[in-house]
Amino acid sequence: MADKTALVISAHSADFVWRCGGAIALHAARGYDVTVACLSYGERGESAKLWKNEGMTLDRVKTERRAEAENAAEALGVADIQFFDLGDYPLDLDRDAKFRIVDLIRKVQPAFMMSHSKYDPYNTDHMYATEIALETRMIAQAWGHNPGEKVLGAPQLYLFEPHQTEQMGWKPDVFLDISPVWEKKRAAIECMKGQEHLWAYYTNVAENRGNHFRRNSGGQSGGRAATHAEGFQSVFPRCVDEL
Amino acid sequence: MADKTALVISAHSADFVWRCGGAIALHAARGYDVTVACLSYGERGESAKLWKNEGMTLDRVKTERRAEAENAAEALGVADIQFFDLGDYPLDLDRDAKFRIVDLIRKVQPAFMMSHSKYDPYNTDHMYATEIALETRMIAQAWGHNPGEKVLGAPQLYLFEPHQTEQMGWKPDVFLDISPVWEKKRAAIECMKGQEHLWAYYTNVAENRGNHFRRNSGGQSGGRAATHAEGFQSVFPRCVDEL
Amino acid sequence: MADKTALVISAHSADFVWRCGGAIALHAARGYDVTVACLSYGERGESAKLWKNEGMTLDRVKTERRAEAENAAEALGVADIQFFDLGDYPLDLDRDAKFRIVDLIRKVQPAFMMSHSKYDPYNTDHMYATEIALETRMIAQAWGHNPGEKVLGAPQLYLFEPHQTEQMGWKPDVFLDISPVWEKKRAAIECMKGQEHLWAYYTNVAENRGNHFRRNSGGQSGGRAATHAEGFQSVFPRCVDEL
Amino acid sequence: MADKTALVISAHSADFVWRCGGAIALHAARGYDVTVACLSYGERGESAKLWKNEGMTLDRVKTERRAEAENAAEALGVADIQFFDLGDYPLDLDRDAKFRIVDLIRKVQPAFMMSHSKYDPYNTDHMYATEIALETRMIAQAWGHNPGEKVLGAPQLYLFEPHQTEQMGWKPDVFLDISPVWEKKRAAIECMKGQEHLWAYYTNVAENRGNHFRRNSGGQSGGRAATHAEGFQSVFPRCVDEL
Amino acid sequence: MADKTALVISAHSADFVWRCGGAIALHAARGYDVTVACLSYGERGESAKLWKNEGMTLDRVKTERRAEAENAAEALGVADIQFFDLGDYPLDLDRDAKFRIVDLIRKVQPAFMMSHSKYDPYNTDHMYATEIALETRMIAQAWGHNPGEKVLGAPQLYLFEPHQTEQMGWKPDVFLDISPVWEKKRAAIECMKGQEHLWAYYTNVAENRGNHFRRNSGGQSGGRAATHAEGFQSVFPRCVDEL
Amino acid sequence: MADKTALVISAHSADFVWRCGGAIALHAARGYDVTVACLSYGERGESAKLWKNEGMTLDRVKTERRAEAENAAEALGVADIQFFDLGDYPLDLDRDAKFRIVDLIRKVQPAFMMSHSKYDPYNTDHMYATEIALETRMIAQAWGHNPGEKVLGAPQLYLFEPHQTEQMGWKPDVFLDISPVWEKKRAAIECMKGQEHLWAYYTNVAENRGNHFRRNSGGQSGGRAATHAEGFQSVFPRCVDEL
């Protein structure tokens, strides 16, 4: 049986909150150790509000963004959050940085991984993070990479919900009922002081995904009364014993 | 909780054997009542070997095909097999025929349904059967269709494996381990006396899907040692409480 | 210059409200005569709440649904709403019914048309309505169809937003700012007494599409402060004099 | 070895000229018997110029269109042209009409078939003709259809070039050098008196496809100096002994 | 209101002429300042004719290509043409080069941008240029990149017409009537002495896109009599007040 | 006429055996000089069995993998096999390495090339190798790259069969009958001592592709009795004189 662990690879330090905060809180509540890897702080490209302050510096932005992310992680019950500080807009990893991600994957041995959509013309860091997730997952599976370490199995890679899903060609194939932990996700969202304009947006998303959960679980004939949900797209096929 | 029932909509009377015989046998063994609906016997288009016999008639072909299908169904543990005898090459349903399918769906109240791939340039009956599956599923969900009857919920529609998968644009997102029932599927396959040229073909398919199961469940690092598997493509997203 | 007219082809009598009520109200306010063609009342498949009442009949459902649609149309400023009463679940048009749609198209001579998404596995009536929209648009362009009548030009066909956009493969390429008429759309939505569970859902949609409008019109650097929007997918390329 | 025969299924009586006139002339010159099946005359939807004449009737349009098509066929060296007169805008075939097409396919036993693109939002007759081509090809392969007749093998179905290729999602995978027969194609084009506005258009197409032929056969390093070409999209994979 | 500025990102120094020369001339005539950024001269890969001369050197090729491009730019009314001289076959930008492009984008503050198709198996420089266009557009939007500079809004990115459109999966969604400036585009084309084999080709393209403009603006029933046009594919959705 | 030469670009040293060993042996038997370029040995990522041995080192793995590949190459009749030793998991080429591949392409002047599928979420080295194949093919066509050398024409690039074809979006458009050389391919497969678990898998693949060959060449009505086949997807359109 796989360990109850999960790993989220987030291009910028706030992505994990909007896109899979519910999944994190839910799995944490179910006993999973969820690790979040923030490849950057989104310090250049996703901190407009901070930069509008007089005399702002890159270091101060990073510090603020890190604090927000740590608060959100705590609200969600994240077991471990790691900041790789690799720079954003653009995000770009050399071989060493990739191997550091591999080290983390092998240490966590996740039952499943999460990252961004495959395509994103608005934000090339996002799709690059997913390329990295696939590449480092592959390296972690290599028996010749740091021989002697425990080799990675074949964890699913879930692509979490991007902004403007249709433009990204993202299609969810699984809806997760996050009703029991919605308050935690909302609390984490409210830790994101710099992006308050998105609070209502992602609350709407969660409610409407709740509608999709109700519809796909049976609708008016037996559907589950979920109030909030999150959607994910699976990269790999599932292996099951019963349909 | 949904009933342990399933419904397979098969364009021709042999399709269910090659394409989901393992799923049928496995679920039957797990206590599911599996119903198979054969829209036609495949009497005109999938009975070449019979037609090469002197003096063959349409009725004799149907009789033979029906017997083969019944034998295979028995080998697999099918709870009920129904022959709609709607004609093949081309298959074409009028409103009444559609409503007969709806009646069956409502009677079975399947936890999941199965049919063909969405596209098939070799066999337009196959893709037509899937159109019918979606249309009749929708009608079965209508509260105004035969009011008072139990309305259908939202069962998954799995598209089973077509011949020449890549030409059909079919992509499996779930692999089912049929190792425990492979002998039953092989026995059902051998009931198809008229299509002996396909026995080895679908045995190869099952073995290679077994490889895919092993690979996707962990490969050399924790993969399950399945020997045979079947693949399916889901039409609708899943609703879950844990990823 | 094209006349200021538009034609919405709606599979069921409520679709036009959720999916393009804002576009209707906005264009009506701009002097367009907007015609709505309801191919059916959605009497069998989209009237669950009514059917749950004791002793309901098909005629009573139709009457209720018609009244709701007429009220909503009035709230939106629809110039003309026509009920073709062609039956739903499934919707199916014979040659004569198609020609009646053609008659309407030619009478309206729309500057643009609207209908459903191209694909919808949940609701085959929806995608069928779009097939009909394309087919009847083509017939209306034929010089040999009722020679002497004014032949149709080449109006755009906009596909309005389906439920669960990603499952339908629908991708909006234009966002319309409906902030000035949002109250009218909300009023029309509230005419849909039988589907109250969708009021909040489509309010969320409108708000989030407003976010998309803001983002695509410039975001934090010059974006328009739209509060509500609707998205559409164009079938045909546009013809312009300036990009 | 397959017979040197080919069958073109053309929705309207002029389509075969613009879209595969070069292929017809070339194969005729190579000893192929090419049969053209015109499902309709395009009398309602593709005869605008005729209908602009005073007092035009459907019969007169058909007569003119037939004469033009026969002239073009003769210019191209067509072995047989058959007019099914099934009506256009919309084109719609019942079971009997389909079986008449099947009869023709079996009589011709084509080494390859040709028809329209899979998708065409401008002209639903075109995509319908391709559905029919696939369906009748399948029926012609059925051993139980008119037992005793020679059953069809597996001829390639080439989709010829539609107007506005990109809107149709049509992608050519083979270019045919029609330089040796360009004059014949141009002569056939000029038989289409009613559509003179398209003469220059399809001449441009042929010249530019010639450029594509030169480029794909080696360009400035060994490319063939073709002046005119036609492109086709194959539906089925090819079977070869050498790449 | 956005400034009347536009920015074309061209992988090689001639691309802007064939692919959007009309759009440039038209917008220049309408008062736009159009800037062209040539990432390379196409000196290695798109200068075959020059290299066939005895004793040619890389510098001489660049000089010739630059002169041609400057002449063409002048013919079209380009406001500014910049040569980044980053090398071709393959084109490859480091972080500094990207930031130089960002500087230009921010300086121009384009109302719209243009670049190549997303996919091009014949010419990987082309698709790379589009990746760069998206990446640098994103960086130019970052408030933390050179804080204090004017941040970029959300200009459309139009993908101009590639050679062999269907192979690139390029689909135009907008046609621009360039009839008024066709002579200027032709003059610019004739500045490209080294690629004379393409003059007729792109003249044919412009004429046939003119046909598409006529067809999509109404055809025989109200279409505009454009003689020449250019097509573009939009990456982002549009934001409008009227459809 | 093109020389009878071919070039296979294989990410790891064993790929060419499973995926196109039949094509190699068949063309070698027909007089082709087939060159295989192994970009890496697959020493880290595809040598699990070796790494399970005590005290294994990277050099020993490379030596073993090279020996296996050379043996397989000899069994297939490969004219030349070159090991670029560029490292795997991840594979990554700098400019110099790319130019070394270009040198080889120009030296071989292949009539056709082969590489991996365009997409592979399991193995990013595979899709990277195909990017490299396209990029280096383009550079080899540049008249300004090493002027004076023979410039490459326009060889087809065939994408050979990946593992789990449907997950890669790979669709074969040509089947090659490898029945005459099947024994050679099987012998080459058996040289791959480290991956014995794949022997039966690729034997099944070859047999089932044989079924596809039979079906597509005519099936029960004239099909060729091929026992084994390989499938390939073409990147570029073909240029022909007869369909």
Side-chain angles (χ1 to χ4, degrees), chain A residues 122 166 201 209 212 216, chain C residues 122 166 201 209 211-212 216:
Chain A
Y122 294 85
E166 304 94 355
Y201 182 86
R209 294 299 177 195
H212 298 173
N216 283 292
Chain C
Y122 294 86
E166 304 93 356
Y201 182 85
R209 293 300 178 195
N211 171 292
H212 298 174
N216 284 291

Side-chain angles (χ1 to χ4, degrees), chain D residues 48 52 122 163-167 170-172 197-198 201 204-205 207-209 211-212 215-216 220, chain E residues 48 52 122 163-167 170-172 197 201 204-205 207-209 211-212 215-216 220:
Chain D
K52 291 176 184 171
Y122 294 86
H163 189 239
Q164 299 196 63
T165 57
E166 302 94 356
Q167 307 302 324
W170 176 86
K171 179 183 170 185
H197 62 291
L198 292 176
Y201 182 85
N204 283 353
V205 166
E207 288 172 5
N208 281 13
R209 293 299 178 196
N211 171 293
H212 297 172
R215 179 72 171 87
N216 283 292
Q220 300 203 34
Chain E
K52 290 176 183 171
Y122 294 86
H163 189 238
Q164 298 199 64
T165 58
E166 303 94 357
Q167 307 302 325
W170 177 86
K171 179 184 170 185
H197 62 291
Y201 182 86
N204 283 354
V205 166
E207 289 173 3
N208 280 15
R209 293 299 177 195
N211 170 293
H212 297 174
R215 179 74 172 85
N216 283 291
Q220 300 204 31

Side-chain angles (χ1 to χ4, degrees), chain E residues 131-196:
Chain E
E131 286 176 30
I132 292 297
L134 285 171
E135 189 175 353
T136 52
R137 178 186 182 272
M138 175 190 77
I139 300 170
Q141 291 174 328
W143 288 75
H145 180 77
N146 295 347
E149 285 186 3
K150 182 166 172 8
V151 168
L152 182 69
Q156 181 59 272
L157 176 63
Y158 291 107
L159 309 182
F160 45 53
E161 177 159 347
H163 189 238
Q164 298 199 64
T165 58
E166 303 94 357
Q167 307 302 325
M168 317 312 186
W170 177 86
K171 179 184 170 185
D173 55 43
V174 56
F175 289 115
L176 183 72
D177 182 357
I178 62 163
S179 309
V181 297
W182 167 248
E183 291 308 323
K184 288 184 187 173
K185 176 162 182 178
R186 176 70 197 195
I189 283 176
E190 293 186 9
C191 295
M192 301 290 110
K193 303 299 185 196
Q195 291 165 295
E196 196 168 343

Side-chain angles (χ1 to χ4, degrees), chain C residues 12 86 101 118 121 241:
Chain C
H12 313 106
L86 296 164
I101 309 292
K118 272 187 229 173
D241 288 307

Side-chain angles (χ1 to χ4, degrees), chain A residues 2-62:
Chain A
D3 287 340
K4 296 184 91 168
T5 53
L7 176 63
V8 179
I9 296 180
S10 185
H12 313 107
S13 61
D15 291 323
F16 75 91
V17 182
W18 319 110
R19 311 195 181 295
C20 61
I24 292 171
L26 191 73
H27 286 82
R30 289 179 180 281
Y32 278 73
D33 278 349
V34 181
T35 298
V36 174
C38 295
L39 302 185
S40 77
Y41 295 102
E43 63 271 18
R44 286 162 42 90
E46 310 208 332
S47 307
K49 196 174 167 188
L50 290 170
W51 285 107
K52 290 176 184 171
N53 294 323
E54 195 70 28
M56 187 54 57
T57 64
L58 204 61
D59 276 348
R60 281 184 51 203
V61 173
K62 287 185 184 179

Side-chain angles (χ1 to χ4, degrees), chain C residues 205-215 224 226-229:
Chain C
V205 166
E207 289 172 4
N208 281 13
R209 293 300 178 195
N211 171 292
H212 298 174
F213 192 105
R214 294 193 296 277
R215 178 74 172 84
R224 162 102 65 89
T227 59
H228 298 79

Side-chain angles (χ1 to χ4, degrees), chain F residues 18-214:
Chain F
W18 320 110
R19 311 193 183 295
C20 61
I24 292 172
L26 191 73
H27 286 82
R30 289 179 179 281
Y32 278 73
D33 278 349
V34 181
T35 298
V36 174
C38 296
L39 302 184
S40 78
Y41 295 103
E43 62 270 17
R44 285 162 42 90
E46 311 208 333
S47 307
K49 195 173 166 188
L50 290 170
W51 285 108
K52 291 176 185 172
N53 295 323
E54 194 72 27
M56 187 54 58
T57 66
L58 204 61
D59 275 348
R60 280 183 52 202
V61 172
K62 287 185 185 180
T63 302
E64 295 255 11
R65 293 279 292 180
R66 179 175 182 134
E68 282 184 6
E70 285 174 334
N71 290 343
E74 188 174 354
L76 296 171
V78 165
D80 186 21
I81 181 164
Q82 303 223 352
F83 299 92
F84 284 81
D85 193 13
L86 295 164
D88 72 324
Y89 282 60
L91 178 66
D92 192 19
L93 275 67
D94 61 16
R95 200 170 180 93
D96 281 343
K98 289 176 186 174
F99 285 0
R100 287 169 55 204
I101 310 291
V102 173
D103 288 344
L104 181 62
I105 295 175
R106 284 206 167 164
K107 184 180 143 214
V108 171
Q109 292 285 334
F112 63 84
M113 298 169 65
M114 289 195 163
S115 197
H116 296 261
S117 61
K118 274 189 228 173
Y119 179 65
D120 190 336
Y122 293 87
N123 196 312
T124 59
D125 283 5
H126 287 170
M127 54 184 169
Y128 180 74
T130 299
E131 287 176 30
I132 292 298
L134 285 171
E135 190 176 352
T136 52
R137 177 184 182 273
M138 175 190 76
I139 300 170
Q141 290 174 329
W143 288 75
H145 180 77
N146 294 348
E149 285 186 5
K150 182 165 175 3
V151 168
L152 183 69
Q156 181 60 272
L157 177 62
Y158 292 106
L159 309 181
F160 45 54
E161 178 158 347
H163 189 238
Q164 298 198 66
T165 59
E166 304 93 356
Q167 307 302 324
M168 316 314 184
W170 176 86
K171 179 184 170 186
D173 55 42
V174 55
F175 289 116
L176 183 72
D177 182 358
I178 61 164
S179 310
V181 295
W182 168 248
E183 290 308 324
K184 289 183 186 173
K185 177 164 182 176
R186 177 71 199 196
I189 284 176
E190 294 186 8
C191 295
M192 300 291 109
K193 303 298 183 195
Q195 291 165 295
E196 194 167 346
H197 61 291
L198 293 176
W199 296 7
Y201 182 85
Y202 283 105
T203 299
N204 283 354
V205 166
E207 289 172 4
N208 281 15
R209 293 300 177 194
N211 171 294
H212 297 173
F213 192 105
R214 294 193 295 277

